[in-house]
Amino acid sequence: MAVRQVLTYPDERLKRAATPVESFDDALRAAVADLEETMRAGPAAVGIAATQIGWTQRVVIIDASSRPQWRNHGRLVLVNPGIVAREGSVSGREGCLSVPDYTGNVVRAQALTLEACDEHGEPRRYEMEGFEARVVQHEIDHLDGLLFIDRVVSRRNDLFRRKVCR
């Protein structure tokens, strides 16, 4: 396992769409281990997408268990994730390892149905809502070459510089 460098805005590689995973082998699981170690090594994060470390396949890891007030599935490795149903919409504040100096208000679906495979190629289906649904939408956006700053309605009113504690 290795901690990889997290790409930050405006690195052009963050704008590239990821390609589907076709081989569920030891190389995939080793890359997933690197992705998770990178997520756990940095500032507090509840998700990371492969594209954030320059790996161009459709893989994300989410773990919303640090926010137990919202129902969640715990740690999930999602390979080739796809949202098959969305319900409702709600605005909420988001931050990102790849946009470390800003947070922003983004409108996302309140609930969704997600289909993906795990790192062994087993198909999975999840019903998600609230914070976990927001996290997975944010990470899937990375796989499509989008950052949360691409989704804020107004950069003037919905984008905020992070406060730095000294």
Side-chain angles (χ1 to χ4, degrees):
M1 294 193 304
V3 174
R4 306 269 187 94
Q5 178 185 5
V6 175
L7 304 177
T8 57
Y9 177 81
D11 191 308
E12 284 298 316
R13 292 174 287 179
L14 291 167
K15 299 305 244 173
R16 297 180 190 153
T19 58
V21 171
E22 295 179 3
S23 296
F24 294 84
D25 54 16
D26 289 343
L28 172 68
R29 287 181 284 281
V32 166
D34 288 353
L35 186 62
E36 181 154 17
E37 188 167 340
T38 302
M39 181 178 88
R40 304 273 181 219
V46 292
I48 190 168
T51 52
Q52 290 180 273
I53 61 170
W55 178 24
T56 59
Q57 290 193 297
R58 296 188 68 80
V59 178
V60 303
I61 298 173
I62 67 167
D63 186 351
S65 63
S66 63
R67 311 276 174 92
Q69 65 270 40
W70 287 287
R71 195 177 88 182
N72 67 80
H73 295 88
R75 173 197 172 271
L76 296 174
V77 175
L78 303 169
V79 180
N80 299 334
I83 297 169
V84 296
R86 299 172 193 262
E87 183 177 317
S89 64
V90 63
S91 179
R93 185 72 62 97
E94 295 184 13
C96 182
L97 295 172
S98 293
V99 187
D101 297 332
Y102 291 90
T103 62
N105 292 327
V106 178
V107 176
R108 303 272 190 193
Q110 172 65 31
L112 57 84
T113 303
L114 178 86
E115 292 180 347
C117 291
D118 66 16
E119 65 267 43
H120 301 286
E122 294 297 320
R124 307 285 185 196
R125 184 178 179 99
Y126 300 98
E127 304 292 328
M128 298 179 172
E129 62 184 28
F131 182 71
E132 185 176 51
R134 175 170 298 280
V135 172
V136 79
Q137 290 171 88
H138 177 109
E139 301 308 333
I140 290 174
D141 270 358
H142 279 293
L143 301 180
D144 296 329
L146 294 171
L147 300 172
F148 79 87
I149 56 178
D150 298 318
R151 291 207 179 265
V152 295
V153 174
S154 165
R155 287 191 178 196
R156 173 182 278 175
N157 299 319
D158 295 321
L159 192 60
F160 309 94
R161 182 170 275 287
R162 273 190 198 270
K163 294 177 182 171
V164 177
C165 298
R166 297 184 193 250

